[in-house]
């Protein structure tokens, strides 16, 4: 009961104290102004470069801004304690630390969800972006899981604050690192192999924790399975059926999306799957595998806008 | 002569302090590199290298404003936290002469970011920049830095009464990047955005740098950037006079 009280009351008080975000003067420019201009900034760069449609940038950045609350918020809960010289008091208090810090995370998850929703509203109001009402529940689930995982990622950054003085540097680098490595503004298949490899690391891509980890565990189990030729006599191998993995990207079957949500396979690509026409695994110019430069023979593929994309408006 | 000495000493002192700050110096250099990398990936599609050169210069100058906006917004708050604001305000020298080199030093830090972005573009993305008019380029960079520093000065003064001014400075980072045409041509924006762009010195600063590097008429843009910088400084001094008078009357300088 005490832990539950710490979870709820501690979380609410911490959130109210954090950055004074409850005051509109600080909340609006920090939590709403920056995401608004971030979405506009990248959408207009997208228009200038012609690499993707508005929908691509709205979805990517609206999901990514949820990390702002998670990473900066959690980082500040630790950094703020140090700043106000209360960190040592928190650490020596008998309060359940799990409840204490998890309680602080919960309002930030809600906040991140609000930020992300605001990002989608910005896209709908100001940019060439449309959203079919039937996809909203699945999208909300994606955003919620992303926000929760980004908040967990924020705890990693926040723990750096226990050792380093400049927690803001780590938090800023983590935030813009997600911006670059998670395919928010540059499609993953446009990135070099080493950057794609980092984006697939669960810790670096909080959006892919569940799916990638599960796939790795399954592969490890497969490798550990005993060779039938070397099994001792008297012991029988139990036949085991492997379930097929759901298709992660490119839209897939409608049920696949729901399965991905239930299995927490909420990689950003699956969210974008709705916005991408089928048959396109990537985007932008066709590239030579050796040099990475555009191949003149292949015409450049530019995404149609959301208005012209029939799949985007299709229901789940 | 005393004024020039005060400006010089203030600039040198704050450059020394800023270069020892992980947040203002290292993050100021690394942070724009992420945006530049994203922009390079987005602009490198296609055979024409010109958009990439355009983006390279824009991303390089973005760092100057990035180093200025949040830091300038928080400049007075920092003095307030350290308890030196009252001392600086009551010093015999005019407070504007103390604050102006602070914001210009912040913008100067952006030169490190500019160089690192250009080097990053050259080494990683193979963007070869050949400056068409080196003299104009050498003039355009400090003119841009000074004018952006003056804009930071106006920003710092405008937010003197707000405790959380850093939040406003932080919020203004993206809009100025956007409407100044660092990465997006101004022709893509609605007509009502153009006057806002023209009123911003970074618009003319990046125009001058691009003109010097890629060919154009940079000297007009340099003059306009410096003129706007002078205008910001004048407006900042007037605003500062008014704000300080009000703060003295209401005893609200420390906001305590």
């Amino acid at each position: 009961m005490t832990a539950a009280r710490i979870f709820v009351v501690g979380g609410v008080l911490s959130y109210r104290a954090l950055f004074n975000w409850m005051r509109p003067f600080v909340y609006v420019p920090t939590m709403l102004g920056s995401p608004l201009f971030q979405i506009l900034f990248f959408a207009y760069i997208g228009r200038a470069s012609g690499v993707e449609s508005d929908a691509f940038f709205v979805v990517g950045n609206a999901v990514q801004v949820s990390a702002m609350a998670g990473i900066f918020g959690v980082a500040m809960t630790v950094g703020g304690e140090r700043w106000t010289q209360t960190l040592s008091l928190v650490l020596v208090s008998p309060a359940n630390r799990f409840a204490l810090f998890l309680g602080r995370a919960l309002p930030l998850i809600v906040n991140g969800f609000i930020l992300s929703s605001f990002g989608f509203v910005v896209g709908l109001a100001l940019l060439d972006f449309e959203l079919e009402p039937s996809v909203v529940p699945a999208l909300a689930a994606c955003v919620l899981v992303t926000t929760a995982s980004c908040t967990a990622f924020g705890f990693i950054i926040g723990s750096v604050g226990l050792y380093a003085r400049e927690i803001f540097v780590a938090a800023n680098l983590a935030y813009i690192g997600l911006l670059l490595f998670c395919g928010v503004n540059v499609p993953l298949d446009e990135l070099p192999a080493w950057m794609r490899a980092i984006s697939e690391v669960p810790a670096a891509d909080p959006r892919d924790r569940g799916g990638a980890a599960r796939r790795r565990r399954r592969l490890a189990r497969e490798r550990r399975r005993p060779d039938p030729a070397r099994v001792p006599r008297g012991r029988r191998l139990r036949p085991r059926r492997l379930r097929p993995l759901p298709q992660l990207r490119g839209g897939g079957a409608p049920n696949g999306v729901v399965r991905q949500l239930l299995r927490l396979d909420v990689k950003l690509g699956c969210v974008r799957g709705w916005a991408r026409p089928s048959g396109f695994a990537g985007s932008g110019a066709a590239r030579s595998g050796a040099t990475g430069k555009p191949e003149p023979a292949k015409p450049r593929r530019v995404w149609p806008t959301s208005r012209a994309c029939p799949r985007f408006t299709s229901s789940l | 002569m005393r004024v020039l000495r005060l400006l010089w000493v203030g600039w040198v002192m704050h450059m020394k302090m800023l270069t020892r700050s992980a947040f203002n110096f290292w993050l100021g250099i690394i942070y724009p590199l992420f945006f530049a990398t994203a922009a390079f990936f987005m602009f490198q599609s296609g055979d024409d290298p010109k958009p990439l050169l355009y983006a390279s210069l824009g991303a390089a100058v973005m760092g100057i404003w990035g180093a200025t906006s949040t830091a300038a917004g928080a400049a007075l708050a920092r003095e307030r936290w350290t308890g030196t604001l009252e001392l600086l305000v009551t010093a015999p020298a005019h407070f504007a002469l103390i604050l102006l080199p602070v914001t210009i030093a912040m913008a100067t830090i952006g030169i490190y970011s500019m160089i690192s972005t250009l080097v990053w573009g050259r080494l990683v993305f193979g963007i070869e920049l050949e400056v068409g008019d080196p003299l104009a380029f050498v003039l355009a960079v400090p003119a841009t830095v000074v004018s952006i520093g003056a804009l930071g000065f106006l920003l710092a003064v405008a937010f003197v009464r707000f405790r959380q001014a850093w939040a406003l400075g932080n919020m203004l980072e993206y809009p100025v990047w956007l409407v100044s045409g660092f990465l997006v041509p101004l022709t893509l924006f609605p007509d009502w955005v153009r006057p806002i762009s023209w009123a911003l010195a970074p618009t003319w600063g990046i125009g001058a740098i691009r003109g010097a590097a890629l060919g154009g008429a940079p000297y007009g843009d340099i003059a306009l950037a410096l003129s706007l910088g002078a205008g910001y400084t004048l407006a900042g001094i007037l605003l500062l006079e008014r704000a300080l008078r009000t703060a003295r009357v209401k005893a609200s300088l420390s906001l305590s």
Side-chain angles (χ1 to χ4, degrees):
Chain A
M1 194 60 195
T2 309
R5 186 173 168 276
I6 289 171
F7 177 81
V8 176
V9 178
V12 171
L13 285 177
S14 169
Y15 183 73
R16 289 185 64 183
L18 182 66
F19 268 140
N20 296 326
W21 281 349
M22 296 304 284
R23 293 175 61 191
F25 178 76
V26 182
Y27 187 92
V28 171
T30 312
M31 292 279 104
L32 301 182
S34 289
L36 163 70
F37 291 118
Q38 179 183 323
I39 291 168
L40 290 177
F41 180 69
F42 283 107
Y44 269 94
I45 293 179
R47 286 182 184 184
S49 63
V51 70
E52 289 286 357
S53 70
D54 281 5
F56 180 90
F57 295 101
V58 170
V59 173
N61 287 282
V63 174
Q64 200 265 347
V65 293
S66 67
M68 187 180 282
I71 291 176
F72 287 107
V74 177
M76 274 302 295
T77 55
V78 178
E81 297 286 358
R82 184 190 289 281
W83 181 255
T84 52
Q85 300 183 5
T86 50
L87 184 60
S88 53
L89 296 175
V90 169
L91 293 180
V92 299
S93 74
N96 184 326
R97 284 186 202 163
F98 186 75
L100 185 72
F101 285 105
L102 207 63
R104 293 178 178 201
L106 197 62
L108 297 171
I109 293 172
V110 176
N111 197 11
F113 187 81
I114 293 169
L115 286 189
S116 201
S117 308
F118 175 73
F120 282 106
V121 171
V122 166
L124 287 167
L126 302 177
L127 295 168
D128 189 13
F129 173 68
E130 287 178 354
L131 194 62
E132 184 72 18
S134 58
V135 305
V136 170
L139 187 60
C142 282
V143 169
L144 196 60
V145 175
T146 305
T147 310
S149 58
C150 284
T151 306
F153 185 49
F155 272 116
I156 298 174
I157 304 301
S159 64
V160 175
L162 296 173
Y163 297 97
R165 193 176 300 182
E166 288 284 0
I167 185 66
F168 280 119
V169 176
N172 274 290
L173 291 178
Y175 183 75
I176 52 172
L178 291 180
L179 203 65
L180 187 60
F181 283 91
C182 290
V184 175
N185 295 303
V186 183
L188 287 179
D189 44 11
E190 297 273 327
L191 295 175
W194 69 270
M195 290 180 75
R196 276 203 306 273
I198 291 175
S199 76
E200 296 295 333
V201 175
D205 185 355
R207 285 161 255 248
D208 194 28
R209 288 188 78 88
R214 215 170 11 257
R215 280 194 295 279
R216 266 201 308 280
R217 280 199 300 273
R218 179 179 296 182
L219 286 171
R221 276 200 303 270
E222 283 294 297
R223 279 191 221 105
R224 285 199 302 268
R225 283 179 76 183
D227 185 353
R230 301 177 65 183
V231 174
R233 285 185 182 180
R235 224 181 119 189
R236 292 174 58 192
L237 281 179
R238 191 174 296 170
R240 197 170 154 218
R241 283 195 311 178
L242 286 177
R243 286 177 298 166
L245 282 171
Q247 195 176 355
L248 272 179
R249 300 189 62 185
N255 288 340
V257 176
V258 179
R259 266 207 312 275
Q260 286 159 2
L261 289 171
L262 295 175
R263 291 164 62 88
L264 303 185
D265 277 334
V266 286
K267 196 167 182 176
L268 200 57
C270 98
V271 182
R272 290 218 179 113
W274 304 324
R276 290 182 178 181
S278 58
F280 284 78
S283 68
R287 285 173 191 287
S288 160
T291 62
K293 290 185 177 174
E295 290 176 359
K298 294 187 181 177
R300 188 175 176 203
R301 295 183 297 194
V302 178
W303 297 112
T305 63
S306 59
R307 292 185 200 286
C309 174
R311 272 192 71 87
F312 185 71
T313 51
S314 66
S315 65
L316 283 173
Chain B
M1 197 62 194
R2 285 179 60 190
V3 169
L4 287 177
R5 184 179 170 276
L6 185 60
L7 289 173
W8 170 253
V9 171
W11 181 82
V12 170
M13 285 297 293
H14 282 91
M15 277 297 288
K16 284 181 179 176
M17 283 195 281
L18 289 170
T19 49
R20 278 154 184 78
S21 162
F23 184 83
N24 288 312
F25 185 71
W26 291 112
L27 187 64
I29 291 174
I30 297 169
Y31 193 74
L33 284 183
F34 280 82
F35 289 98
T37 306
F40 292 159
F41 277 124
M42 292 165 79
F43 279 96
Q44 74 176 357
S45 303
D47 296 324
D48 188 6
K50 215 167 183 182
L52 206 53
L53 275 173
Y54 180 92
S56 168
L57 285 167
V61 182
M62 273 166 63
I64 300 177
W65 175 244
T68 309
S69 60
T70 308
L76 287 178
R78 194 179 59 182
E79 303 293 347
R80 193 173 277 134
W81 286 334
T82 52
T84 49
L85 183 60
E86 292 87 347
L87 295 173
L88 294 174
V89 169
T90 53
H94 196 280
F95 187 56
L97 295 175
I98 298 168
L99 190 58
L100 188 60
V102 177
T103 56
I104 291 178
M106 289 166 180
T108 311
I109 290 291
I111 291 182
Y112 290 102
S113 163
M114 186 177 173
I115 293 168
S116 65
T117 306
L118 291 174
V119 171
W120 179 256
R122 175 70 186 86
L123 296 178
V124 180
F125 292 89
I127 304 169
E128 291 184 21
L129 180 66
E130 289 178 9
V131 177
D133 187 345
L135 177 65
F137 192 81
V138 168
L139 290 174
V141 172
T144 306
V145 167
V146 170
S147 61
I148 289 179
L151 182 57
F153 170 71
L154 182 60
L155 202 69
V157 170
F159 300 155
V160 68
R161 299 290 302 280
F162 302 117
R163 204 187 295 257
Q164 280 90 6
W166 63 269
L168 291 172
N170 194 25
M171 189 193 73
L172 288 175
E173 195 171 42
Y174 278 115
V176 173
W177 281 350
L178 188 62
V179 301
S180 295
F182 286 140
L183 293 174
V184 182
L186 298 181
T187 49
L188 282 183
F189 295 118
D191 290 340
W192 61 267
V193 175
R194 307 274 173 81
I196 300 172
S197 303
W198 295 333
L200 292 169
T203 306
W204 306 105
I206 183 64
I209 290 173
R210 281 206 182 103
L214 306 177
Y219 294 101
D221 287 344
I222 292 172
L224 275 166
L226 287 173
S227 305
L228 276 171
Y232 297 148
T233 307
L234 191 63
I237 290 170
L238 294 175
L239 204 61
L240 190 62
E241 282 288 331
R242 190 177 172 81
L244 290 180
R245 198 180 308 121
T246 310
R248 284 192 183 101
V249 169
K250 295 184 177 176
S252 58
L253 188 62
S254 63
L255 294 179
S256 57

